[in-house]
Amino acid sequence: MAENQNSKDLYMIIKEKYQRKSVAGQLQSVFGKEIYHYSCLESTNKVAYLLAKKGAEEGTVVVADEQTQGEGRGDHYWYSPQGGLWFSLILRPRMISSETSRLSILGATGIAMSINRLFSSLRVMIRWPNDVVIKDKKVAGVLVKVRAERSEVTFAIMGIGVNLNVREFPSPLSFIATSLIRETGDSTSKERFLECTLEELENLYCSSQVNGRILLEKARLFSSLLGRQVEVVTTGGKFQGLAQDLDEDGGLILRLESGLHKKILPEEGYVKERSPKI
Ligand code: BT5
C-alpha cells in the first residue's frame, strides 16, 4: 500500500480544520479527525479493519484514490478507479449487534443528504438498503462490516464508495451505474464532498444513537421504493410485494400478495434491478 506523501495532502486540510474547530470548542466532531490517505489500496475496508483491531479511534477515516479489489456485499465487487471517492469510516457504536443493521441505511442516508446539500437540483434517492441512485442508476454504495464479541459490538467499518469524477464505466456497469460528473457535467472536489458527507454522517450517527426515529424519517424521505411493487432477493428466496415502510432496524416491510407482512433486514437482501448484480 502506498501512502500519499504529498507535503500538504488535501485531506490534511480537513483534519486540521476539525482539530482547530474542536480546540475552539465549536465542534464535538470526531469523524475525520484522523485521516489516512493512500494513492492505491486493495480495499480501504481491509485497512480500516486492521486499524480498528489495533485500537484506532472512532471517526478514523481511510481513503484511497484507487482500489484494486474494491468489495461490495457478499461476493460482489466494487469498481474503484481514479476519480471516485472510496473511503472507510471506523465506528464504535454503543449498540448491540442486532441493532447494527441500521448502519447501512445510515450510510446511504448520509450520502444522499450530502449530494442533496451540494447539488440540490439532482433528484437523489436510496434504493433500499444500500444503493444511492440518481434516475435509477447507482451513484454510490455502502458496505458495513461489524465485529462483535458475543452481542457486544467492538467496532464497525462503514465502507463508502461514491462515483464522483468517474466518467466512464465498463460494460455491464455502464447500464446500471452513474457518477456525479456524468449527472452534473462538472467535476467535484473530493475533499469538499468527503467533508460534507462526514458532517452529515456524524449528525445522523449521533442523533440516531439517541433516537432511531430521526434516521428513519430522513431515510423515508429519500426512499425510492416506498409505495412501489418490488422484488426482493434474499438468501431464503425471492419475495414480491408492496414496499410499505422502513422500520427502526433499517428493515424493509413488504406487504406480500397474500396480505401477510414480511420484514427483511438490510443484510438479508436487496431489491432486484433491471440488470442483475454481478
Ligand atoms: C455495495 O455493494 O454497493 C457496496 C459498495 C461499497 C464500496 C466501498 S468503496 C470503499 C470501501 N472499500 C471497499 O472495498 N468497499 C467499500 P453491493 O450492493 O453488493 O453492490 C455491488 C454491485 O454494484 C456490483 O455487483 C455491481 O453490479 C455494481 N457496482 C460495482 N461497482 C460499481 C460502481 N463503481 N458504481 C455503481 N455500481 C457498481
Side-chain angles (χ1 to χ4, degrees), residues 131-172:
D131 293 351
V132 180
V133 296
I134 297 175
K135 293 184 219 138
D136 243 11
K137 288 188 167 185
K138 185 156 171 173
V139 68
V142 181
L143 172 66
V144 176
K145 293 212 164 152
V146 177
R147 186 175 156 110
E149 275 157 32
R150 294 190 199 93
S151 68
E152 283 287 300
V153 176
T154 331
F155 60 82
I157 305 299
M158 183 182 285
I160 290 189
V162 187
N163 299 324
L164 224 53
N165 303 319
V166 178
R167 286 179 190 274
E168 300 294 337
F169 294 92
S171 168

Side-chain angles (χ1 to χ4, degrees), residues 21-36:
K21 279 192 175 177
S22 49
V23 168
Q26 294 169 354
L27 197 74
Q28 299 300 310
S29 275
V30 293
F31 288 11
K33 233 162 68 177
E34 196 61 65
I35 299 181
Y36 293 85

Side-chain angles (χ1 to χ4, degrees), residues 13-178:
I13 297 171
I14 303 181
K15 210 157 107 173
E16 285 167 6
K17 190 180 125 192
Y18 272 92
Q19 279 157 358
R20 270 199 313 278
K21 279 192 175 177
S22 49
V23 168
Q26 294 169 354
L27 197 74
Q28 299 300 310
S29 275
V30 293
F31 288 11
K33 233 162 68 177
E34 196 61 65
I35 299 181
Y36 293 85
H37 177 206
Y38 296 88
S39 47
C40 185
L41 285 180
E42 283 184 2
S43 158
T44 56
N45 263 25
K46 282 188 189 155
V47 173
Y49 197 91
L50 292 176
L51 284 171
K53 259 173 86 177
K54 285 190 192 157
E57 279 184 42
E58 175 157 80
T60 301
V61 170
V62 177
V63 57
D65 296 337
E66 187 182 353
Q67 297 183 119
T68 53
Q69 287 177 34
E71 298 168 356
R73 302 194 308 153
D75 57 1
H76 300 158
Y77 75 103
W78 186 257
Y79 175 64
S80 324
Q82 294 262 352
L85 175 64
W86 325 122
F87 74 96
S88 299
L89 174 66
I90 296 176
L91 300 173
R92 297 192 180 275
R94 293 182 299 280
M95 292 174 179
I96 52 169
S97 46
S98 61
E99 291 170 330
T100 54
S101 297
R102 73 175 76 140
L103 292 175
S104 299
I105 307 288
L106 193 150
T109 308
I111 303 166
M113 289 175 72
S114 177
I115 295 178
N116 193 242
R117 188 165 127 197
L118 295 173
F119 308 96
S120 54
S121 61
L122 292 181
R123 193 158 149 71
V124 58
M125 307 212 87
I126 298 171
R127 184 171 54 210
W128 181 91
N130 65 326
D131 293 351
V132 180
V133 296
I134 297 175
K135 293 184 219 138
D136 243 11
K137 288 188 167 185
K138 185 156 171 173
V139 68
V142 181
L143 172 66
V144 176
K145 293 212 164 152
V146 177
R147 186 175 156 110
E149 275 157 32
R150 294 190 199 93
S151 68
E152 283 287 300
V153 176
T154 331
F155 60 82
I157 305 299
M158 183 182 285
I160 290 189
V162 187
N163 299 324
L164 224 53
N165 303 319
V166 178
R167 286 179 190 274
E168 300 294 337
F169 294 92
S171 168
L173 278 186
S174 50
F175 300 107
I176 57 169
T178 190

